[in-house]
């Protein structure tokens, strides 16, 4: 259903439920275990993994190297510099859906916290990254949405190792 189509453009205008349906079909087709990343996994990847990059954006302190200028549409993937893990477009193109609901995380050290419970904010889901039509934002930016699809919202999948 993407508004901006092309062989190298990100998929957008999909809802959280559309993503779940796609992933379920992909898992059946491949026999693998794909899913949306948790918010903590998304940020870990954006930071460059265990090396925990000191950059303001995912892969650089220079916005033009990793995301380019604000635009009226999404751009082709993999045209800007990747981060330390070789992952592209984690600082701009479409906002990316995460598995988590909005909620508070514990201030205690935890490994991969996941908020799968409804609370006062329910049913808001987490979005990470920056959309193509927004100004510069560090990769730590997060917001919420109600699970619907817009041309600014996309997704990235991860594979769980069984």
């Amino acid at each position: 259903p993407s508004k901006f189509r092309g062989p190298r453009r990100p998929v957008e205008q999909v809802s959280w439920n559309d993503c779940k349906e796609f992933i379920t079909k992909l898992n059946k087709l491949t026999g693998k275990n794909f899913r949306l990343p948790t918010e903590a996994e998304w940020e870990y990847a954006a930071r460059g993994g265990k090396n925990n990059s000191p950059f303001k954006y995912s892969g650089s302190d220079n916005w033009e190297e990793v995301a380019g200028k604000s635009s009226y549409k999404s751009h082709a993937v993999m045209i800007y510099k990747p981060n330390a893990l070789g992952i592209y477009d984690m600082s701009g193109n479409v906002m990316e859906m995460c598995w988590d609901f909005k909620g508070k995380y514990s201030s205690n050290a935890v490994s991969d916290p996941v908020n799968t419970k409804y609370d006062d904010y329910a049913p808001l889901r987490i979005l990470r990254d920056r959309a193509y039509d927004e100004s510069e934002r560090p990769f730590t930016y997060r917001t919420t949405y109600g699970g619907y699809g817009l041309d600014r919202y996309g997704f990235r999948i991860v594979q769980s190792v069984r």
Side-chain angles (χ1 to χ4, degrees):
S2 295
K3 180 176 180 180
F4 307 115
R5 295 174 184 249
R8 294 191 56 219
R9 292 220 185 263
V11 171
E12 27 82 359
Q13 276 196 184
V14 290
S15 70
W16 196 86
N17 286 330
D18 292 335
C19 290
K20 277 184 17 182
E21 182 179 336
F22 168 77
I23 291 168
T24 298
K25 289 179 180 180
L26 182 63
N27 289 341
K28 286 180 183 175
L29 181 68
T30 64
K32 297 182 179 179
N33 187 20
F34 294 102
R35 60 182 171 77
L36 290 173
T38 65
E39 183 178 13
E41 288 170 332
W42 191 97
E43 186 160 333
Y44 180 83
R47 288 184 182 278
K50 64 182 176 185
N51 295 331
N52 199 5
S53 165
F55 297 125
K56 181 177 181 182
Y57 310 113
S58 183
S60 178
D61 281 329
N62 181 343
W63 180 256
E64 300 293 322
E65 288 183 354
V66 295
K69 295 190 183 277
S70 179
S71 156
Y72 64 94
K73 63 182 179 180
S74 66
H75 59 74
V77 298
M78 299 173 56
I79 61 173
Y80 295 101
K81 180 181 173 181
N83 70 10
L85 293 176
I87 302 173
Y88 292 83
D89 301 312
M90 293 198 80
S91 283
N93 207 3
V94 293
M95 298 189 81
E96 297 180 2
M97 300 175 197
C98 293
W99 182 255
D100 307 66
F101 288 105
K102 180 178 181 179
K104 297 175 182 148
Y105 284 121
S106 168
S107 59
N108 300 325
V110 293
S111 179
D112 194 17
V114 182
N115 187 357
T116 58
K117 298 177 184 168
Y118 284 110
D119 62 17
D120 294 341
Y121 303 105
L124 296 178
R125 294 281 182 177
I126 297 293
L127 285 169
R128 296 299 299 258
D129 202 353
R130 165 211 168 259
Y132 59 84
D133 60 347
E134 296 176 314
S135 59
E136 296 176 26
R137 288 192 177 143
F139 64 80
T140 54
Y141 176 75
R142 64 193 294 257
T143 191
T144 58
Y145 75 114
Y148 45 83
L150 290 177
D151 62 3
R152 305 167 74 237
Y153 300 167
F155 66 103
R156 157 182 327 257
I157 58 175
V158 297
Q159 181 183 356
S160 294
V161 179
R162 293 180 180 182

